[in-house]
Amino acid sequence: QVQFVESGGGLVQPGESLRLSCEASIPDFRLFRMGWYRQAPGKQRELVATISINGNIDYGHSAEGRFTISRDNHKDTVALQMSGLKPEDTAVYYCYGNRWPGLDYWGQGTQVTVSS
């Protein structure tokens, strides 16, 4: 029913680090392009980072070299290591994956709050 489950969110101070994890319960995880997206209150959902089947990575401009995405095809997980967190990073972070042809799943999200 729930294909992706995120964990690791929480409340942190500016400059601190946080590691998010997404656990997938799908048999063909290796065929999915995975990624992290975030949505702050009153704003549209935006790309944080994606990682392809082959391990190619793309970061959103807001990452600014502070975030690192990774995947483990043996554990069926994808992680987002965040460092140097800023108040503007406050958002609900969603795990997302898509596979050809047109199959995609969204996690329910995990809250990240960076105090100012």
Side-chain angles (χ1 to χ4, degrees):
Q1 186 175 8
V2 179
Q3 288 77 26
F4 298 153
V5 178
E6 304 96 332
S7 63
L11 174 64
V12 297
Q13 296 295 316
E16 294 186 338
S17 299
L18 206 57
R19 186 177 188 274
L20 306 182
S21 183
C22 173
E23 183 178 2
S25 58
I26 51 178
D28 50 355
F29 176 78
R30 76 181 197 285
L31 300 180
F32 278 72
R33 174 188 178 90
M34 300 297 299
W36 288 94
Y37 293 76
R38 69 186 186 186
Q39 187 166 25
K43 299 181 180 179
Q44 290 188 295
R45 192 167 299 184
E46 67 172 338
L47 167 72
V48 176
T50 61
I51 182 167
S52 73
I53 294 173
N54 299 322
N56 295 317
I57 296 173
D58 286 314
Y59 291 104
H61 68 277
S62 62
E64 300 176 350
R66 299 175 297 125
F67 298 174
T68 301
I69 188 173
S70 62
R71 69 187 296 164
D72 188 332
N73 288 340
H74 296 299
K75 292 184 171 61
D76 290 351
T77 58
V78 58
L80 182 69
Q81 179 65 48
M82 304 183 292
S83 62
L85 285 165
K86 306 174 181 179
E88 47 263 50
D89 293 319
T90 296
V92 176
Y93 285 70
Y94 297 91
C95 179
Y96 171 79
N98 72 280
R99 176 181 68 80
W100 188 93
L103 213 206
D104 65 347
Y105 302 115
W106 286 95
Q108 292 187 299
T110 184
Q111 177 71 47
V112 172
T113 302
V114 185
S115 64
S116 58

